[in-house]
Amino acid sequence: MIWLVLICLIFIFQTGIILILEFRRPSKAVAWMFISYCVPFLGFVLYYFVARNYRIRRTIRKKGTIIFREVRHRLWRQSHVIRHAQDMGNPKFENEERLFGLLSHLTENPITACNDIKVLTDGKVTFAAMLRALEQAEHHIHIQFYIFRDDMIGKEFTDVLIRKAQAGVKVRMLCDGLGSYHLKYKFVRQLKAAGIEFYFFLPPFTSFIQREVNYRNHRKILVIDGEVGFMGGLNIGDDYLGYDPKLGYWRDTHLETRGDIVYFLQTVFLEDWEFASGQRITDSIYFPKHQCAGNERALIVSSGPDRNWDAIQELCFSAIAVAKQRICITTPYFIPDAGIYTALKTAAVSGVQVDIIIPKVSDSQVVHYASLSYMQELMRAGVRIHQYEKGFVHAKVMVIDDLLASVGTANMDMRSFYSNFELVAVLAEQSTIQRLMEDFERDLEHSRLLNYEQFIKRSRMQKTMETLSRMLSPLL
């Protein structure tokens, strides 16, 4: 009897601690309480080491962007900064002063005017463009990926990086400690022997001990000579070329950029580099002046536990809220928070056409079921859900009317919004928006529209799996 009382007291104590620490995020509190209920002692240990901790968030922020403010001030003077909605080069923005005000203050980066941006639609095209740009590197290569595999395409990149490093080009490489945990010491030793500086961002063991394992650097950045940059959804691996037998064709979206936008891709990389390596790099040689590369307006938005605001979540919410005709979203993982969920339903009920493309076959069954758990209510509100059937769709794209588009690393899920280090480019050029819409319409041709009447008849087992997965979804 004493043991039973003791166990109950321990469980009450665990529940109370979780409720107190997670009062800002009720859905996350429910998820951890569920885990604690299923595995009372182990669950609380996991919570201690894995759960987001606001004290740690403040500690990480101190290591973050403050040291780069002087660099940003210099880059603001060096860039062609857009300060008024009327100068966005898109007439749709002339009546969107509030949205422009948000974009102007959402991040320390400015909206810039002199940019040339090329949309890359799959791994084959993207990797070819990256390898061509790497071959032309003369001064430095900064490369960062969540996942970097030592496979066929990984070896192609490695060979170029080693060759360039041996030729005197400065190569710095970052990989996420958890996403690239499979990389062997032999691989890293080979890079370092060639003169490449390599670091893991939050290595698993160290981050677990320091209670930072929940923070993943999901960014994908390649900057060459400070003049050309790449960012988007693709990591480096053969599966991104469609060689995974389960997932098949891999549909993704990446950007090749030139102009002012590259300055701010560079600062994001160098901030992450300072965090991982302890090296502070602010030399002006990494931010060379350039001729105006194009006239596209663009903004780099980075988000993560080193930022004061959940900038990407706020961007998505505000963009959805101003939509008047159509919202198009492509995302491999759809686990929205309450704000985004309500905004999408409200838009659909208000008469805005809302189309969301998600994969039919996912690389995570738990995430797949969690995503499906949101669909019934969305479809009842009028949101059109499409399941991509040609292969696996991994693109993270949002298009709002003819007003703006976003392309980047952030999924439409709570992990990307609140826990991961993420990166998004906001684009206002109508020709680029049109290109992204053409890709979206093409993806719709390879997708199946979910039928509400059929969907509500899914099996009880599937509904149970959806319920359980949704309870855990804030942690996925």
Side-chain angles (χ1 to χ4, degrees):
M1 184 68 178
I2 295 177
W3 286 106
L4 182 60
V5 172
L6 183 61
I7 290 172
C8 289
L9 289 174
I10 291 173
F11 181 74
I12 292 171
F13 171 77
Q14 293 179 172
T15 303
I17 292 296
I18 292 171
L19 285 173
I20 290 170
L21 294 179
E22 300 296 342
F23 74 93
R24 293 179 179 87
R25 300 269 307 279
S27 59
K28 190 173 181 181
V30 170
W32 278 112
M33 287 169 63
F34 175 69
I35 293 174
S36 182
Y37 177 79
C38 294
V39 282
F41 301 104
L42 178 60
F44 193 69
V45 171
L46 286 174
Y47 175 79
Y48 178 82
F49 283 103
V50 175
R52 182 180 184 180
N53 182 285
Y54 285 88
R55 180 184 61 80
I56 292 175
R57 176 173 178 162
R58 289 194 295 270
T59 301
I60 288 179
R61 188 182 297 148
K62 289 177 183 177
K63 303 175 185 177
T65 61
I66 295 175
I67 63 168
F68 277 86
R69 284 178 180 167
E70 66 273 17
V71 176
R72 279 197 167 85
H73 290 159
R74 184 172 78 232
L75 294 178
W76 273 66
R77 295 191 298 269
Q78 196 168 310
S79 303
H80 302 78
V81 177
I82 299 297
R83 301 183 185 275
H84 304 285
Q86 293 79 8
D87 299 327
M88 284 294 288
N90 183 339
K92 299 286 186 179
F93 258 98
E94 293 180 4
N95 298 317
E96 298 294 346
E97 292 285 351
R98 287 185 62 188
L99 178 62
F100 179 81
L102 173 78
L103 295 177
S104 299
H105 297 92
L106 193 60
T107 173
E108 294 178 327
N109 303 329
I111 304 170
T112 58
C114 287
N115 300 292
D116 179 35
I117 297 170
K118 183 178 181 182
V119 178
L120 307 171
T121 302
D122 60 25
K124 183 177 180 181
V125 172
T126 302
F127 292 153
M130 286 181 176
L131 289 168
R132 282 196 303 270
L134 286 170
E135 291 286 1
Q136 297 171 6
E138 297 179 351
H139 181 262
H140 68 270
I141 295 169
H142 291 161
I143 182 169
Q144 172 180 358
F145 284 94
Y146 176 65
I147 296 172
F148 194 103
R149 303 194 192 282
D150 186 20
D151 52 16
M152 183 176 65
I153 189 63
K155 283 182 170 58
E156 282 193 51
F157 274 84
T158 303
D159 290 345
V160 176
L161 293 174
I162 289 175
R163 182 157 37 82
K164 283 295 178 177
Q166 291 174 338
V169 175
K170 188 63 179 178
V171 180
R172 297 181 177 93
M173 184 172 179
L174 274 178
C175 290
D176 183 75
L178 193 61
S180 298
Y181 72 93
H182 53 273
L183 288 178
K184 294 180 170 39
Y185 177 70
K186 179 181 177 181
F187 172 84
V188 177
R189 186 175 58 190
Q190 177 189 19
L191 295 179
K192 291 184 176 180
I196 296 172
E197 291 191 61
F198 179 96
Y199 286 91
F200 283 111
F201 191 98
L202 293 177
F205 179 76
T206 303
S207 60
F208 185 79
I209 297 301
Q210 296 178 350
R211 300 179 61 198
E212 296 173 345
V213 72
N214 192 46
Y215 303 103
R216 304 175 191 173
N217 196 314
H218 199 235
R219 295 167 182 158
K220 297 93 177 174
I221 299 173
L222 176 60
V223 177
I224 297 162
D225 293 341
E227 296 179 353
V228 58
F230 294 83
M231 56 87 66
L234 283 158
N235 290 292
I236 304 297
D238 289 348
D239 43 343
Y240 298 91
L241 286 167
Y243 295 150
D244 187 309
K246 174 190 172 185
L247 299 176
Y249 174 72
W250 191 285
R251 166 71 180 90
D252 222 319
T253 300
H254 224 75
L255 299 178
E256 179 179 355
T257 68
R258 288 174 172 79
D260 294 338
I261 191 175
V262 181
Y263 291 150
F264 302 98
L265 286 177
Q266 185 81 292
T267 59
V268 174
F269 174 88
L270 291 176
E271 287 166 359
D272 289 346
W273 181 260
E274 195 275 342
F275 181 87
S277 70
Q279 302 172 14
R280 182 180 302 185
I281 301 171
T282 59
D283 298 345
S284 60
I285 196 170
Y286 293 100
F287 305 95
K289 293 183 179 179
H290 62 86
Q291 298 296 321
C292 198
N295 61 1
E296 295 191 44
R297 275 60 170 167
L299 169 68
I300 288 293
V301 179
S302 56
S303 185
D306 61 337
R307 297 297 193 260
N308 290 315
W309 306 100
D310 299 311
I312 293 177
Q313 189 274 348
E314 294 168 15
L315 164 67
C316 293
F317 177 85
S318 301
I320 291 168
V322 302
K324 295 178 176 61
Q325 285 87 37
R326 191 176 184 189
I327 299 167
C328 299
I329 295 171
T330 304
T331 181
Y333 313 122
F334 183 81
I335 304 175
D337 69 345
I340 299 295
Y341 191 46
T342 302
L344 288 170
K345 289 190 295 180
T346 302
V349 171
S350 301
V352 177
Q353 182 177 330
V354 183
D355 289 283
I356 301 174
I357 297 178
I358 61 173
K360 181 179 181 180
V361 178
S362 178
D363 59 348
S364 170
Q365 281 298 105
V366 177
V367 173
H368 178 67
Y369 282 123
S371 296
L372 291 178
S373 73
Y374 292 90
M375 299 310 172
Q376 184 168 323
E377 191 172 346
L378 285 173
M379 286 192 287
R380 187 163 59 238
V383 176
R384 292 153 49 99
I385 308 297
H386 310 262
Q387 287 189 311
Y388 188 76
E389 297 184 320
K390 185 179 178 180
F392 179 63
V393 61
H394 189 253
K396 301 100 164 41
V397 178
M398 178 175 66
V399 181
I400 305 296
D401 299 334
D402 297 323
L403 181 67
L404 64 80
S406 69
V407 177
T409 68
N411 301 303
M412 194 66 66
D413 67 2
M414 285 184 268
R415 168 158 290 281
S416 286
F417 290 153
Y418 300 116
S419 298
N420 285 353
F421 293 81
E422 301 281 4
L423 187 70
V424 163
V426 181
L427 313 171
E429 173 64 34
Q430 288 192 321
S431 62
T432 302
I433 294 172
Q434 181 60 35
R435 164 61 198 276
L436 291 168
M437 275 305 304
E438 290 172 2
D439 287 348
F440 189 86
E441 295 291 351
R442 193 176 303 110
D443 291 338
L444 286 179
E445 296 175 3
H446 298 289
S447 304
R448 178 176 65 89
L449 178 66
L450 288 184
N451 180 276
Y452 177 76
E453 299 300 329
Q454 294 177 354
F455 186 77
I456 60 176
K457 296 177 182 178
R458 62 200 187 282
S459 69
R460 182 174 297 176
M461 176 61 73
Q462 179 172 330
K463 291 179 180 179
T464 301
M465 292 298 295
E466 290 175 9
T467 300
L468 294 174
S469 298
R470 182 163 176 169
M471 289 183 68
L472 295 172
S473 64
L475 312 180
L476 300 177

